[in-house]
């Protein structure tokens, strides 16, 4: 067949449906280095003219890709090419990567995300977290557990159940306390703390603290004094009895509240 007739044949006959199978290492090694075909029309029935890794030969096509995506790799499987396309796999299984080679696997069936949110992992827990992907989505976990980060990998965990924020406000952090605060996440929300304590910033991390409760009364008006430019308190709970933590116009100190005198 001369080049003109080959070109005419190529344009005259459409390519057959389907795609050529992927060549794995074994096929590339065993393929015959010959060109018994050049076009799909050179092949009988529905076979296509495909590369065998060295030459071309008539091969049954990979007719279609089976529905569904391949599951996420959770590790490294056998470094063997057990399949090259979905047609090599039985039933609804697909030819999927196992992290090193390919093998037949059941397709991933998407499931709705379970209710709730993953809780925040603190520094201590992150150091102990297993660096492995033991799940890839909530559907891998039993009951109401979710697939959450453990600080290094992912594992099934009970979801964080939001609790109402406890009353009161976190105390104000001054410069000295910010320097002394432990740089660790010892809590992530008020529910991690006992009694009425709240999860508050310590200037570097978070820890459980007694909430700031303002005492009754108002601070007296002050003028700038001498040697009062110190932060002797941060909030009313730092002060004894009914004294309040009041501004000195330069710092803060414990002061008896202003009492209104009633006139006759």
């Amino acid at each position: 067949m001369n080049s003109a007739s080959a070109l005419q044949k190529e344009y005259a006959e459409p390519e057959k449906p389907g795609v050529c199978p992927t060549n794995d290492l074994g096929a590339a090694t065993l393929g015959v280095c010959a060109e018994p075909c050049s076009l799909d029309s050179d092949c009988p029935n529905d076979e296509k003219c495909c590369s065998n890794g060295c030459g071309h030969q008539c091969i049954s096509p990979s007719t279609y890709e089976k529905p569904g995506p391949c599951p996420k790799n959770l590790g490294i499987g056998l470094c063997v090419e057990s399949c090259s396309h979905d047609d090599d796999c039985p039933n609804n299984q697909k030819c999927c990567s196992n992290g090193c080679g390919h093998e037949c696997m059941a397709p991933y069936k998407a499931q709705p995300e379970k209710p709730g949110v993953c809780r925040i992992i603190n520094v201590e827990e992150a150091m102990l977290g297993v660096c492995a992907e033991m799940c890839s989505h909530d559907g891998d976990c039993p009951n109401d557990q979710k697939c959450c980060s453990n600080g290094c990998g992912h594992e099934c965990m009970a979801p964080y159940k939001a609790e109402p924020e406890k009353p009161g406000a976190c105390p104000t952090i001054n410069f000295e306390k910010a320097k002394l605060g432990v740089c660790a996440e010892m809590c992530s929300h008020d529910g991690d703390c006992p009694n009425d304590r709240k999860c508050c910033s310590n200037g570097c991390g978070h820890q459980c603290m007694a909430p700031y409760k303002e005492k009754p009364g108002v601070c007296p008006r002050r003028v700038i004094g001498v040697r009062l430019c110190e932060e002797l308190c941060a909030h009313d709970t730092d002060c004894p009895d009914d004294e309040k933590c009041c501004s000195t116009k330069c710092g803060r100190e414990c002061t008896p509240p202003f009492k209104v005198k009633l006139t006759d």
Side-chain angles (χ1 to χ4, degrees), residues 209-256:
M209 299 182 185
Y212 165 63
K213 296 178 181 178
E214 186 175 358
K215 294 179 181 178
V218 294
C219 288
R221 296 183 63 183
R222 299 291 297 270
V223 295
I224 297 178
V226 180
R227 296 181 181 177
L228 295 178
C229 294
E230 296 183 43
E231 296 290 335
L232 302 178
C233 62
H235 45 81
D236 289 358
T237 53
D238 293 334
C239 301
D241 304 326
D242 63 344
E243 290 186 358
K244 295 175 64 68
C245 185
C246 300
S247 171
T248 62
K249 300 294 185 179
C250 185
R252 299 185 75 84
E253 67 176 355
C254 293
T255 307

Side-chain angles (χ1 to χ4, degrees), residues 74 85 98 130-131 209 218 239 248 257:
L74 300 180
H85 48 80
N98 60 16
V130 179
C131 295
M209 299 182 185
V218 294
C239 301
T248 62

Side-chain angles (χ1 to χ4, degrees), residues 88-175:
D88 294 334
C89 300
N91 304 324
N92 67 336
Q93 290 188 1
K94 295 174 62 70
C95 185
C96 301
S97 170
N98 60 16
C100 186
H102 285 79
E103 62 181 281
C104 294
M105 301 181 186
Y108 164 64
K109 294 182 180 179
Q111 298 179 359
E113 185 178 354
K114 294 180 181 178
V117 294
C118 291
R119 62 187 182 87
I120 299 173
I121 301 298
N122 60 40
V123 175
E124 293 179 355
E125 290 176 315
M127 293 176 63
L128 298 175
V130 179
C131 295
E133 297 296 330
M134 292 180 280
C135 63
S136 60
H137 48 79
D138 289 356
D140 293 334
C141 300
N143 304 325
D144 63 343
Q145 290 187 0
K146 295 175 65 70
C147 185
C148 302
S149 170
N150 60 16
C152 188
H154 285 80
E155 63 181 280
C156 294
M157 299 182 185
Y160 162 62
K161 296 180 180 178
E163 298 179 5
E165 186 177 353
K166 294 179 181 178
C170 286
T172 305
I173 302 299
N174 60 31
F175 181 68

Side-chain angles (χ1 to χ4, degrees), residues 13-82:
E13 299 183 23
E15 185 178 351
K16 293 180 181 178
V19 294
C20 288
T22 304
N23 290 313
D24 58 27
L25 183 61
T29 304
L30 298 175
V32 178
C33 295
E35 299 290 336
C37 67
S38 59
L39 302 169
D40 287 356
S41 56
D42 295 332
C43 300
N45 303 323
D46 62 346
E47 290 186 355
K48 294 174 65 70
C49 186
C50 302
S51 170
N52 59 17
C54 186
H56 284 79
Q57 67 185 78
C58 293
I59 301 175
S60 295
S62 174
T63 54
Y64 70 98
E65 183 180 356
K66 293 180 182 178
C70 286
K72 182 180 178 181
N73 292 319
L74 300 180
I76 297 178
L78 295 176
C79 295
V80 176
E81 297 295 333
S82 304

